[in-house]
Each structure stands twice: as structure tokens, then as C-alpha cells.
């Protein structure tokens, strides 16, 4: 059943007000990975709770305890749980999103202030979190606002779960999901899950997503001198932590993306012809990846290889070195302690637990080879398992019908290269189908500078999420 025309018209009429509300959301600097911003993540939890309460949703903000980040003990942001409707004749849909964001500073290379939504003449809504993942959360809110203001019943019962730690491994969320999935819990009776927190492959064709890579994130700490040293006084005199670290980091991955830690790439089988055809069929080209990367730097000129690298193979990325000199000028320092950060994106059957011994054995043996007198330790920061599901389910059929209705196009079926750690937890704890229904485009620049959401993706995406609820509602039988 398509969504009522009145709903679609309402979304068009309210577009400017919806964008205004998105700019309010973007202005809250809810960066979960930086202790200094933790009060803003709390503020964001309150803001989300208030907005959903205002459209008739019963809300509970749940405390999920503390964690230690960069040596600080911090309270985790409250998870926002929502409930609307309890009609036994209707299906119950659980929607998930996250209101925390990645760090962003103007000095990183943004063209406009990252936490001030900038509406560009070409319709791009530029700001941190516009696409990942405040825009999609507001897509659900916009839909609910129509029903509340017009006294229309939703076609389904709705449950919401919005968290503020996703960009930092969703700490504390698994326990809550497992608890609330039990009989009598907040998620009791849920029939399916819909997550809007990823992207189309390109700028043209909407997608439904049936897989995510997992992640495991590490820090390699190398320390030696008791304080930073003068390189003129100590150069070629002592073992230098940074030199050791660079050597170690260069043993992790080659320039073509091959993971050099023994055993990791080997855990994944080779794609057969049938599987390759799935990737061949997707509306994607090497130009798409190069356009969204902003440079002609794809690892292969074969579209299928590029897609498989992102969707069905693990990848190892080097992220940064804490403690290293990086400012302007030419400081002649030997840093006393440096920490190299890297993560591995995982695919089935890999998990953070079965990867850790391989990483540990590799870095320990490589460090031993250096013969350095410095101290070395491997720290595991956080992780999440990969997830893949079957697409022959009414949840996917509903999303496909909604996509056709809104975009007049059949969606592509994709596996996402990123990670949403709680996805597998929902699937296992609830035993129901989980679907990813993204709002944004492949060139949105999530996690990057100048992150944006196109106005049309925000507005049509709101229609898509609302129409999806109508399509689920039209499916007969509980
Ligand atoms: N939109 C999903 C997303 O960006 N997820 C993050 C999750 C994560 C895990 N550790 C740090 N961030 C991702 O990087 O894939
Ligand atoms: Zn996200
Ligand atoms: Zn993200």
C-alpha cells in the first residue's frame, strides 16, 4: 500500500522547516570519540528525546553505565528508546539510528563551519552529521510529525532505539539490546528492524543493504625515553619510538590493500562466477569511486574487484599516530611515546575475537625482529562483528516497493563496507530480519570534510522511510 498522497505533499510543504530542524541537530557537537564533547552528546540525547516526545512517542532515556576513554572515566550517553502503538493486528517495526558524530574541525579542510548547517545553492546541506546519521533520524521524526499533526494512525507499531556511541563502537548498547529483547522488554514483539545509516553506491540509484563489515580497532604503543628528546643530541644515540612504530605499521598492509598479517585474508573464500555476477549487476563504475574519493586513485580498473574490495573482503587502514609531531614548522624532536592507530574491517567468518591472536602474534614477532630496547604494547580499543542477511524476506520486499514508489527505480542490493556494530546484535537477540535502508548518496563524505546530505535525499528519503512503514503495514498477517 503506497503512502497517502497527503503525507507526501506534507513532506514537500514542510521541507524548509525540516531543514531548519536538521540545522538545529547539526549545531549540537555530539562527538562521541572525544571526552571534551561528552556533555554535547548528552545534550543531543535530550534533544532527540524531546523531539520524539513532541510528536507523541513514549520515550525512555536509558543509562548504560560508564567507560574509560583516553584515560578518562566517562558516563555513556543515554540511549533514547521510543514506543508508539501497540495494536496486535499491526506489525511492529524497530528503527535504529545514532545521534553521535565523528570529530570535525574547520582546520581539517572544511569549507564552512562543520557544526553550522550550510545550505548550498546546489541543494547540498553541508554539516557534520547531516548524512551520518542525524538526517536519517530526522527522516523518521518528520514522518511521525505528519501523523501526529494530522491525527493519523501509523500503519505499524513503532519502536525506536537511538544511541550516542555508534562512532565509538556502540559501547554499552549490546547489553541493553539483549535485555530489552526478552519477553516484557521494550523490543518484545518486534517483527523487523530497519536501520537508515549508510549510503547509496553512487549519486543515482537507491539501494537496500543486506551486509555490513565488522571492525576491530587497535593502538600500537611504543615508548622509550622518559621525555621528548632533542634529535641533535640523541639522534643515532638511542632507539627512537617513532622509527620502531613506522617500521611496525609498514608490516600491516601493502600499497594495494593486501593485508600482510598472516592468516587474515586467507579466512575469506574466493568469489565464484555467480557471486561476481551480483557485483557486475550493480549500478557502479570505477569513476563513481574516484568521483567520491575526489581523485583517480582506485586500486583497480575492474569494477567488480573494486566492489568486492569494499563489500566482501577485509581491509586494513592506518589512521594516525598519537604523540607524533604534526604541526607547522620544523621541530627537531624525538617523540618519547607514540601510538599508531589502525583498524581492520571484517567479513564473515571473521570476528574481533578470532582476529586478535593473529594480530598479536604478528606485531610481537615484527617488533622482536627490530631488536629495539623500547617498550611496545598492543591495545584493542573496540570492535563489532560483520553481518550478512537473506534478502528474500517481506521486510526487503516492503523496502523495494517503497523505493519504487518514491524513486520510480528498482533499488540495487548492496553490502556496505562500513560497520554498525549493533546490527548483528539486533538480528540475533530478536531473531527477526534486519534491513538497511539508506537515505544519503555515495558522495556524501561521511566521516570526511564537507559531509553533506542533498536536500532531495533528505526530503525524498523522508518519503521513503514513511512509505516503507506503509508497505510493511500492508503485509498481511503477524
Ligand atoms: N554509518 C555507520 C558508521 O559510520 N559506522 C562507523 C562505526 C565505527 C566503529 N568504530 C568507529 N566507528 C564506521 O566507521 O563504520
Ligand atoms: Zn552512521
Ligand atoms: Zn559514521
Amino acid at each position: 500500500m503506497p503512502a497517502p498522497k497527503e503525507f507526501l505533499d506534507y513532506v514537500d510543504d514542510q521541507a524548509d522547516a525540516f531543514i531548519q530542524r536538521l540545522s538545529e541537530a547539526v549545531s549540537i557537537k555530539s562527538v562521541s570519540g572525544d571526552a571534551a564533547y561528552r556533555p554535547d552528546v548528552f545534550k543531543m540525547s535530550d534533544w532527540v528525546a524531546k523531539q520524539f516526545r513532541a510528536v507523541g512517542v513514549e520515550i525512555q532515556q536509558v543509562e548504560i553505565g560508564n567507560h574509560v576513554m583516553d584515560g578518562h572515566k566517562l558516563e555513556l550517553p543515554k540511549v533514547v528508546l521510543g514506543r508508539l502503538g501497540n495494536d496486535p493486528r499491526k506489525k511492529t517495526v524497530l528503527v535504529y539510528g545514532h545521534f553521535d558524530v565523528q570529530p570535525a574541525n574547520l582546520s581539517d579542510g572544511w569549507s564552512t563551519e562543520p557544526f553550522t548547517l550550510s545550505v548550498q545553492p546546489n541543494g547540498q546541506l553541508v554539516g557534520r552529521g547531516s548524512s551520518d546519521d542525524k538526517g536519517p533520524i530526522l527522516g523518521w521524526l518528520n514522518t511521525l510529525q505528519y501523523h501526529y499533526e494530522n491525527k493519523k494512525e501509523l500503519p505499524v507499531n513503532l519502536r525506536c532505539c537511538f544511541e550516542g556511541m555508534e562512532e565509538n563502537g556502540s559501547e554499552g548498547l549490546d547489553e541493553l539490546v539483549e535485555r530489552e529483547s526478552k519477553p516484557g522488554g521494550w523490543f518484545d514483539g518486534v517483527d523487523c528492524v530497519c536501520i537508515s545509516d549508510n549510503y547509496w553506491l553512487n549519486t543515482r540509484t537507491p539501494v537496500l543493504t543486506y551486509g555490513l563489515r565488522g571492525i576491530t580497532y587497535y593502538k600500537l604503543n611504543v615508548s622509550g625515553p622518559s621525555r621528548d628528546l632533542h634529535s641533535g643530541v640523541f639522534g643515532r644515540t638511542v632507539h627512537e619510538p617513532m622509527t620502531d612504530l613506522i617500521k611496525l605499521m609498514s608490516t600491516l598492509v601493502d600499497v594495494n590493500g593486501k593485508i600482510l598479517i598472516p592468516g587474515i585474508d586467507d579466512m575469506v573464500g574466493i568469489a565464484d562466477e555467480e557471486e561476481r555476477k551480483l557485483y557486475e549487476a550493480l549500478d557502479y563504475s570505477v569513476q563513481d569511486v574516484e568521483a567520491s574519493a575526489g581523485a583517480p586513485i582506485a586500486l583497480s580498473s575492474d569494477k567488480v574487484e573494486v566492489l568486492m574490495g569494499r563489500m566482501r573482503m577485509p581491509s586494513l587502514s592506518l589512521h594516525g599516530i598519537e604523540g607524533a609531531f604534526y604541526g607547522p614548522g620544523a621541530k627537531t624532536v624525538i617523540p618519547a611515546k607514540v601510538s599508531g592507530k589502525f583498524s581492520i574491517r571484517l567479513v564473515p567468518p571473521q570476528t574481533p575475537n578470532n582476529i586478535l591472536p593473529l594480530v598479536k602474534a604478528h606485531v610481537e614477532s615484527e617488533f622482536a625482529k627490530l631488536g629495539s630496547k623500547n617498550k611496545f604494547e598492543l591495545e584493542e580499543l573496540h570492535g563489532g562483528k560483520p553481518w550478512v542477511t537473506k534478502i528474500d524476506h517481506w521486510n526487503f520486499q516492503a523496502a523495494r516497493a517503497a523505493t519504487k514508489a518514491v524513486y520510480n527505480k528498482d533499488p540495487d542490493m548492496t553490502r556496505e563496507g562500513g560497520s554498525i556494530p549493533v546490527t548483528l546484535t539486533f538480528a540475533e537477540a530478536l531473531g527477526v530480519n534486519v534491513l538497511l535502508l539508506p537515505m544519503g548518496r555515495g558522495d556524501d563524505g561521511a566521516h570526511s570534510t564537507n559531509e553533506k546530505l542533498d536536500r532531495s535525499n533528505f526530503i525524498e528519503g523522508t518519503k521513503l522511510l514513511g512509505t516503507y512503514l506503509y508497505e510493511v503495514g500492508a503485509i498481511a498477517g503477524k
Side-chain angles (χ1 to χ4, degrees), residues 263-292:
I264 294 191
D265 275 353
D266 308 333
M267 288 168 85
V268 184
I270 292 166
D272 58 20
E273 265 318 298
E274 203 177 323
E275 191 183 349
R276 291 181 73 90
K277 278 189 197 137
L278 294 177
Y279 301 108
E280 189 58 62
L282 299 177
D283 177 13
Y284 192 69
S285 68
V286 172
Q287 286 92 304
D288 284 318
V289 69
E290 294 189 331
S292 65

PDB file of all heavy atoms in Angstrom, residues 263-292:
ATOM      1  N   GLY A 263      47.267 -14.983   7.693  1.00  0.00           N
ATOM      2  CA  GLY A 263      46.029 -15.667   8.077  1.00  0.00           C
ATOM      3  C   GLY A 263      44.761 -14.847   7.890  1.00  0.00           C
ATOM      4  O   GLY A 263      43.674 -15.417   7.781  1.00  0.00           O
ATOM      5  N   ILE A 264      44.869 -13.508   7.812  1.00  0.00           N
ATOM      6  CA  ILE A 264      43.619 -12.716   7.804  1.00  0.00           C
ATOM      7  C   ILE A 264      42.918 -12.787   6.443  1.00  0.00           C
ATOM      8  O   ILE A 264      41.742 -13.174   6.357  1.00  0.00           O
ATOM      9  CB  ILE A 264      43.885 -11.257   8.241  1.00  0.00           C
ATOM     10  CG1 ILE A 264      44.330 -11.272   9.711  1.00  0.00           C
ATOM     11  CG2 ILE A 264      42.645 -10.396   8.036  1.00  0.00           C
ATOM     12  CD1 ILE A 264      44.381  -9.941  10.395  1.00  0.00           C
ATOM     13  N   ASP A 265      43.628 -12.451   5.370  1.00  0.00           N
ATOM     14  CA  ASP A 265      42.992 -12.526   4.038  1.00  0.00           C
ATOM     15  C   ASP A 265      42.559 -13.963   3.719  1.00  0.00           C
ATOM     16  O   ASP A 265      41.537 -14.191   3.060  1.00  0.00           O
ATOM     17  CB  ASP A 265      43.959 -12.019   2.954  1.00  0.00           C
ATOM     18  CG  ASP A 265      43.899 -10.490   2.797  1.00  0.00           C
ATOM     19  OD1 ASP A 265      43.019  -9.863   3.436  1.00  0.00           O
ATOM     20  OD2 ASP A 265      44.732  -9.936   2.056  1.00  0.00           O
ATOM     21  N   ASP A 266      43.349 -14.950   4.238  1.00  0.00           N
ATOM     22  CA  ASP A 266      43.059 -16.360   3.902  1.00  0.00           C
ATOM     23  C   ASP A 266      41.751 -16.870   4.503  1.00  0.00           C
ATOM     24  O   ASP A 266      41.260 -17.927   4.119  1.00  0.00           O
ATOM     25  CB  ASP A 266      44.185 -17.279   4.427  1.00  0.00           C
ATOM     26  CG  ASP A 266      45.545 -16.806   3.981  1.00  0.00           C
ATOM     27  OD1 ASP A 266      45.600 -16.154   2.933  1.00  0.00           O
ATOM     28  OD2 ASP A 266      46.539 -17.077   4.697  1.00  0.00           O
ATOM     29  N   MET A 267      41.208 -16.146   5.487  1.00  0.00           N
ATOM     30  CA  MET A 267      39.962 -16.627   6.118  1.00  0.00           C
ATOM     31  C   MET A 267      38.756 -16.471   5.191  1.00  0.00           C
ATOM     32  O   MET A 267      37.677 -16.981   5.474  1.00  0.00           O
ATOM     33  CB  MET A 267      39.694 -15.839   7.413  1.00  0.00           C
ATOM     34  CG  MET A 267      40.632 -16.189   8.528  1.00  0.00           C
ATOM     35  SD  MET A 267      40.486 -15.010   9.882  1.00  0.00           S
ATOM     36  CE  MET A 267      39.128 -15.714  10.789  1.00  0.00           C
ATOM     37  N   VAL A 268      38.942 -15.716   4.103  1.00  0.00           N
ATOM     38  CA  VAL A 268      37.798 -15.419   3.231  1.00  0.00           C
ATOM     39  C   VAL A 268      37.927 -16.183   1.922  1.00  0.00           C
ATOM     40  O   VAL A 268      38.970 -16.128   1.251  1.00  0.00           O
ATOM     41  CB  VAL A 268      37.730 -13.900   2.939  1.00  0.00           C
ATOM     42  CG1 VAL A 268      36.497 -13.556   2.132  1.00  0.00           C
ATOM     43  CG2 VAL A 268      37.751 -13.126   4.241  1.00  0.00           C
ATOM     44  N   GLY A 269      36.853 -16.892   1.554  1.00  0.00           N
ATOM     45  CA  GLY A 269      36.859 -17.686   0.321  1.00  0.00           C
ATOM     46  C   GLY A 269      36.893 -16.799  -0.924  1.00  0.00           C
ATOM     47  O   GLY A 269      36.620 -15.594  -0.853  1.00  0.00           O
ATOM     48  N   ILE A 270      37.204 -17.440  -2.058  1.00  0.00           N
ATOM     49  CA  ILE A 270      37.252 -16.697  -3.334  1.00  0.00           C
ATOM     50  C   ILE A 270      35.849 -16.666  -3.935  1.00  0.00           C
ATOM     51  O   ILE A 270      35.112 -17.662  -3.861  1.00  0.00           O
ATOM     52  CB  ILE A 270      38.262 -17.391  -4.283  1.00  0.00           C
ATOM     53  CG1 ILE A 270      39.676 -17.203  -3.704  1.00  0.00           C
ATOM     54  CG2 ILE A 270      38.178 -16.850  -5.704  1.00  0.00           C
ATOM     55  CD1 ILE A 270      40.720 -18.088  -4.316  1.00  0.00           C
ATOM     56  N   ALA A 271      35.480 -15.532  -4.510  1.00  0.00           N
ATOM     57  CA  ALA A 271      34.136 -15.416  -5.103  1.00  0.00           C
ATOM     58  C   ALA A 271      34.028 -16.284  -6.348  1.00  0.00           C
ATOM     59  O   ALA A 271      34.942 -16.294  -7.180  1.00  0.00           O
ATOM     60  CB  ALA A 271      33.872 -13.963  -5.468  1.00  0.00           C
ATOM     61  N   ASP A 272      32.899 -17.026  -6.478  1.00  0.00           N
ATOM     62  CA  ASP A 272      32.706 -17.796  -7.714  1.00  0.00           C
ATOM     63  C   ASP A 272      32.021 -16.899  -8.758  1.00  0.00           C
ATOM     64  O   ASP A 272      31.679 -15.747  -8.487  1.00  0.00           O
ATOM     65  CB  ASP A 272      31.924 -19.090  -7.435  1.00  0.00           C
ATOM     66  CG  ASP A 272      30.568 -18.806  -6.806  1.00  0.00           C
ATOM     67  OD1 ASP A 272      30.084 -17.656  -6.932  1.00  0.00           O
ATOM     68  OD2 ASP A 272      29.996 -19.716  -6.189  1.00  0.00           O
ATOM     69  N   GLU A 273      31.815 -17.464  -9.945  1.00  0.00           N
ATOM     70  CA  GLU A 273      31.242 -16.679 -11.051  1.00  0.00           C
ATOM     71  C   GLU A 273      29.888 -16.094 -10.690  1.00  0.00           C
ATOM     72  O   GLU A 273      29.570 -14.949 -11.008  1.00  0.00           O
ATOM     73  CB  GLU A 273      31.121 -17.559 -12.310  1.00  0.00           C
ATOM     74  CG  GLU A 273      32.293 -17.448 -13.257  1.00  0.00           C
ATOM     75  CD  GLU A 273      32.800 -15.998 -13.442  1.00  0.00           C
ATOM     76  OE1 GLU A 273      32.028 -15.146 -13.930  1.00  0.00           O
ATOM     77  OE2 GLU A 273      33.970 -15.723 -13.089  1.00  0.00           O
ATOM     78  N   GLU A 274      29.091 -16.925  -9.974  1.00  0.00           N
ATOM     79  CA  GLU A 274      27.738 -16.488  -9.628  1.00  0.00           C
ATOM     80  C   GLU A 274      27.806 -15.248  -8.720  1.00  0.00           C
ATOM     81  O   GLU A 274      27.047 -14.291  -8.895  1.00  0.00           O
ATOM     82  CB  GLU A 274      27.031 -17.631  -8.900  1.00  0.00           C
ATOM     83  CG  GLU A 274      25.526 -17.531  -8.972  1.00  0.00           C
ATOM     84  CD  GLU A 274      24.883 -18.729  -8.292  1.00  0.00           C
ATOM     85  OE1 GLU A 274      25.441 -19.847  -8.408  1.00  0.00           O
ATOM     86  OE2 GLU A 274      23.872 -18.520  -7.634  1.00  0.00           O
ATOM     87  N   GLU A 275      28.725 -15.294  -7.758  1.00  0.00           N
ATOM     88  CA  GLU A 275      28.838 -14.150  -6.847  1.00  0.00           C
ATOM     89  C   GLU A 275      29.364 -12.919  -7.591  1.00  0.00           C
ATOM     90  O   GLU A 275      28.888 -11.799  -7.390  1.00  0.00           O
ATOM     91  CB  GLU A 275      29.750 -14.499  -5.659  1.00  0.00           C
ATOM     92  CG  GLU A 275      29.647 -13.427  -4.580  1.00  0.00           C
ATOM     93  CD  GLU A 275      30.570 -13.639  -3.387  1.00  0.00           C
ATOM     94  OE1 GLU A 275      31.165 -14.725  -3.255  1.00  0.00           O
ATOM     95  OE2 GLU A 275      30.705 -12.678  -2.609  1.00  0.00           O
ATOM     96  N   ARG A 276      30.314 -13.125  -8.486  1.00  0.00           N
ATOM     97  CA  ARG A 276      30.861 -11.988  -9.241  1.00  0.00           C
ATOM     98  C   ARG A 276      29.762 -11.281 -10.044  1.00  0.00           C
ATOM     99  O   ARG A 276      29.762 -10.059 -10.188  1.00  0.00           O
ATOM    100  CB  ARG A 276      31.988 -12.457 -10.182  1.00  0.00           C
ATOM    101  CG  ARG A 276      33.245 -12.901  -9.455  1.00  0.00           C
ATOM    102  CD  ARG A 276      34.311 -13.320 -10.443  1.00  0.00           C
ATOM    103  NE  ARG A 276      34.894 -12.183 -11.133  1.00  0.00           N
ATOM    104  CZ  ARG A 276      35.959 -11.502 -10.700  1.00  0.00           C
ATOM    105  NH1 ARG A 276      36.584 -11.878  -9.600  1.00  0.00           N
ATOM    106  NH2 ARG A 276      36.424 -10.475 -11.366  1.00  0.00           N
ATOM    107  N   LYS A 277      28.789 -12.104 -10.502  1.00  0.00           N
ATOM    108  CA  LYS A 277      27.694 -11.520 -11.308  1.00  0.00           C
ATOM    109  C   LYS A 277      26.868 -10.534 -10.478  1.00  0.00           C
ATOM    110  O   LYS A 277      26.340  -9.547 -10.998  1.00  0.00           O
ATOM    111  CB  LYS A 277      26.793 -12.635 -11.850  1.00  0.00           C
ATOM    112  CG  LYS A 277      27.347 -13.277 -13.098  1.00  0.00           C
ATOM    113  CD  LYS A 277      26.331 -14.211 -13.735  1.00  0.00           C
ATOM    114  CE  LYS A 277      27.040 -15.133 -14.701  1.00  0.00           C
ATOM    115  NZ  LYS A 277      26.606 -16.529 -14.630  1.00  0.00           N
ATOM    116  N   LEU A 278      26.746 -10.823  -9.164  1.00  0.00           N
ATOM    117  CA  LEU A 278      25.994  -9.899  -8.290  1.00  0.00           C
ATOM    118  C   LEU A 278      26.617  -8.514  -8.313  1.00  0.00           C
ATOM    119  O   LEU A 278      25.929  -7.495  -8.334  1.00  0.00           O
ATOM    120  CB  LEU A 278      26.002 -10.402  -6.839  1.00  0.00           C
ATOM    121  CG  LEU A 278      25.279 -11.694  -6.506  1.00  0.00           C
ATOM    122  CD1 LEU A 278      25.465 -12.045  -5.027  1.00  0.00           C
ATOM    123  CD2 LEU A 278      23.794 -11.539  -6.819  1.00  0.00           C
ATOM    124  N   TYR A 279      27.952  -8.490  -8.291  1.00  0.00           N
ATOM    125  CA  TYR A 279      28.656  -7.196  -8.270  1.00  0.00           C
ATOM    126  C   TYR A 279      28.627  -6.544  -9.655  1.00  0.00           C
ATOM    127  O   TYR A 279      28.498  -5.327  -9.783  1.00  0.00           O
ATOM    128  CB  TYR A 279      30.095  -7.387  -7.773  1.00  0.00           C
ATOM    129  CG  TYR A 279      30.127  -7.988  -6.382  1.00  0.00           C
ATOM    130  CD1 TYR A 279      30.525  -9.308  -6.171  1.00  0.00           C
ATOM    131  CD2 TYR A 279      29.704  -7.246  -5.281  1.00  0.00           C
ATOM    132  CE1 TYR A 279      30.515  -9.858  -4.891  1.00  0.00           C
ATOM    133  CE2 TYR A 279      29.688  -7.785  -4.008  1.00  0.00           C
ATOM    134  CZ  TYR A 279      30.094  -9.097  -3.821  1.00  0.00           C
ATOM    135  OH  TYR A 279      30.064  -9.636  -2.566  1.00  0.00           O
ATOM    136  N   GLU A 280      28.722  -7.385 -10.675  1.00  0.00           N
ATOM    137  CA  GLU A 280      28.685  -6.892 -12.055  1.00  0.00           C
ATOM    138  C   GLU A 280      27.380  -6.147 -12.310  1.00  0.00           C
ATOM    139  O   GLU A 280      27.347  -5.137 -13.022  1.00  0.00           O
ATOM    140  CB  GLU A 280      28.826  -8.092 -13.003  1.00  0.00           C
ATOM    141  CG  GLU A 280      29.027  -7.758 -14.451  1.00  0.00           C
ATOM    142  CD  GLU A 280      30.269  -6.897 -14.708  1.00  0.00           C
ATOM    143  OE1 GLU A 280      31.390  -7.357 -14.417  1.00  0.00           O
ATOM    144  OE2 GLU A 280      30.077  -5.762 -15.184  1.00  0.00           O
ATOM    145  N   ALA A 281      26.297  -6.652 -11.688  1.00  0.00           N
ATOM    146  CA  ALA A 281      24.962  -6.104 -11.979  1.00  0.00           C
ATOM    147  C   ALA A 281      24.716  -4.738 -11.316  1.00  0.00           C
ATOM    148  O   ALA A 281      23.742  -4.055 -11.638  1.00  0.00           O
ATOM    149  CB  ALA A 281      23.901  -7.096 -11.489  1.00  0.00           C
ATOM    150  N   LEU A 282      25.559  -4.351 -10.385  1.00  0.00           N
ATOM    151  CA  LEU A 282      25.286  -3.108  -9.649  1.00  0.00           C
ATOM    152  C   LEU A 282      25.608  -1.870 -10.478  1.00  0.00           C
ATOM    153  O   LEU A 282      26.557  -1.867 -11.259  1.00  0.00           O
ATOM    154  CB  LEU A 282      26.097  -3.088  -8.349  1.00  0.00           C
ATOM    155  CG  LEU A 282      25.787  -4.231  -7.371  1.00  0.00           C
ATOM    156  CD1 LEU A 282      26.692  -4.167  -6.143  1.00  0.00           C
ATOM    157  CD2 LEU A 282      24.322  -4.200  -6.939  1.00  0.00           C
ATOM    158  N   ASP A 283      24.783  -0.840 -10.275  1.00  0.00           N
ATOM    159  CA  ASP A 283      24.995   0.419 -10.988  1.00  0.00           C
ATOM    160  C   ASP A 283      26.172   1.143 -10.321  1.00  0.00           C
ATOM    161  O   ASP A 283      26.006   1.888  -9.351  1.00  0.00           O
ATOM    162  CB  ASP A 283      23.718   1.275 -10.902  1.00  0.00           C
ATOM    163  CG  ASP A 283      23.903   2.634 -11.558  1.00  0.00           C
ATOM    164  OD1 ASP A 283      24.912   2.813 -12.284  1.00  0.00           O
ATOM    165  OD2 ASP A 283      23.070   3.529 -11.328  1.00  0.00           O
ATOM    166  N   TYR A 284      27.348   0.884 -10.841  1.00  0.00           N
ATOM    167  CA  TYR A 284      28.562   1.388 -10.213  1.00  0.00           C
ATOM    168  C   TYR A 284      29.670   1.363 -11.237  1.00  0.00           C
ATOM    169  O   TYR A 284      29.710   0.476 -12.089  1.00  0.00           O
ATOM    170  CB  TYR A 284      28.936   0.459  -9.052  1.00  0.00           C
ATOM    171  CG  TYR A 284      30.004   1.013  -8.141  1.00  0.00           C
ATOM    172  CD1 TYR A 284      29.741   2.099  -7.322  1.00  0.00           C
ATOM    173  CD2 TYR A 284      31.255   0.416  -8.067  1.00  0.00           C
ATOM    174  CE1 TYR A 284      30.712   2.593  -6.456  1.00  0.00           C
ATOM    175  CE2 TYR A 284      32.227   0.899  -7.198  1.00  0.00           C
ATOM    176  CZ  TYR A 284      31.949   1.991  -6.404  1.00  0.00           C
ATOM    177  OH  TYR A 284      32.893   2.468  -5.555  1.00  0.00           O
ATOM    178  N   SER A 285      30.575   2.323 -11.110  1.00  0.00           N
ATOM    179  CA  SER A 285      31.718   2.300 -12.011  1.00  0.00           C
ATOM    180  C   SER A 285      32.931   2.784 -11.234  1.00  0.00           C
ATOM    181  O   SER A 285      32.795   3.396 -10.166  1.00  0.00           O
ATOM    182  CB  SER A 285      31.474   3.229 -13.205  1.00  0.00           C
ATOM    183  OG  SER A 285      31.477   4.552 -12.733  1.00  0.00           O
ATOM    184  N   VAL A 286      34.095   2.512 -11.781  1.00  0.00           N
ATOM    185  CA  VAL A 286      35.321   2.975 -11.134  1.00  0.00           C
ATOM    186  C   VAL A 286      35.298   4.504 -11.044  1.00  0.00           C
ATOM    187  O   VAL A 286      35.779   5.091 -10.076  1.00  0.00           O
ATOM    188  CB  VAL A 286      36.548   2.430 -11.900  1.00  0.00           C
ATOM    189  CG1 VAL A 286      37.824   3.045 -11.371  1.00  0.00           C
ATOM    190  CG2 VAL A 286      36.603   0.912 -11.766  1.00  0.00           C
ATOM    191  N   GLN A 287      34.654   5.155 -12.022  1.00  0.00           N
ATOM    192  CA  GLN A 287      34.544   6.626 -11.967  1.00  0.00           C
ATOM    193  C   GLN A 287      33.751   7.076 -10.732  1.00  0.00           C
ATOM    194  O   GLN A 287      34.025   8.129 -10.166  1.00  0.00           O
ATOM    195  CB  GLN A 287      33.851   7.200 -13.221  1.00  0.00           C
ATOM    196  CG  GLN A 287      34.715   7.199 -14.450  1.00  0.00           C
ATOM    197  CD  GLN A 287      34.515   5.903 -15.245  1.00  0.00           C
ATOM    198  OE1 GLN A 287      34.680   4.801 -14.721  1.00  0.00           O
ATOM    199  NE2 GLN A 287      34.170   6.026 -16.513  1.00  0.00           N
ATOM    200  N   ASP A 288      32.743   6.249 -10.327  1.00  0.00           N
ATOM    201  CA  ASP A 288      31.958   6.627  -9.146  1.00  0.00           C
ATOM    202  C   ASP A 288      32.841   6.680  -7.908  1.00  0.00           C
ATOM    203  O   ASP A 288      32.762   7.609  -7.115  1.00  0.00           O
ATOM    204  CB  ASP A 288      30.811   5.623  -8.906  1.00  0.00           C
ATOM    205  CG  ASP A 288      29.668   5.828  -9.881  1.00  0.00           C
ATOM    206  OD1 ASP A 288      29.318   6.995 -10.132  1.00  0.00           O
ATOM    207  OD2 ASP A 288      29.137   4.822 -10.396  1.00  0.00           O
ATOM    208  N   VAL A 289      33.684   5.640  -7.741  1.00  0.00           N
ATOM    209  CA  VAL A 289      34.522   5.634  -6.538  1.00  0.00           C
ATOM    210  C   VAL A 289      35.533   6.775  -6.619  1.00  0.00           C
ATOM    211  O   VAL A 289      35.814   7.454  -5.616  1.00  0.00           O
ATOM    212  CB  VAL A 289      35.199   4.262  -6.285  1.00  0.00           C
ATOM    213  CG1 VAL A 289      36.242   3.918  -7.282  1.00  0.00           C
ATOM    214  CG2 VAL A 289      35.849   4.218  -4.902  1.00  0.00           C
ATOM    215  N   GLU A 290      36.035   7.024  -7.813  1.00  0.00           N
ATOM    216  CA  GLU A 290      37.048   8.081  -7.936  1.00  0.00           C
ATOM    217  C   GLU A 290      36.416   9.454  -7.757  1.00  0.00           C
ATOM    218  O   GLU A 290      37.025  10.341  -7.139  1.00  0.00           O
ATOM    219  CB  GLU A 290      37.788   7.930  -9.265  1.00  0.00           C
ATOM    220  CG  GLU A 290      38.596   6.629  -9.257  1.00  0.00           C
ATOM    221  CD  GLU A 290      39.560   6.440 -10.416  1.00  0.00           C
ATOM    222  OE1 GLU A 290      39.288   6.968 -11.500  1.00  0.00           O
ATOM    223  OE2 GLU A 290      40.571   5.728 -10.206  1.00  0.00           O
ATOM    224  N   ALA A 291      35.171   9.599  -8.223  1.00  0.00           N
ATOM    225  CA  ALA A 291      34.492  10.890  -8.024  1.00  0.00           C
ATOM    226  C   ALA A 291      34.247  11.113  -6.537  1.00  0.00           C
ATOM    227  O   ALA A 291      34.456  12.216  -6.022  1.00  0.00           O
ATOM    228  CB  ALA A 291      33.181  10.927  -8.795  1.00  0.00           C
ATOM    229  N   SER A 292      33.818  10.063  -5.822  1.00  0.00           N
ATOM    230  CA  SER A 292      33.531  10.326  -4.406  1.00  0.00           C
ATOM    231  C   SER A 292      34.813  10.405  -3.587  1.00  0.00           C
ATOM    232  O   SER A 292      34.838  11.059  -2.545  1.00  0.00           O
ATOM    233  CB  SER A 292      32.511   9.340  -3.830  1.00  0.00           C
ATOM    234  OG  SER A 292      33.024   8.061  -3.823  1.00  0.00           O
TER     235      SER A 292
END
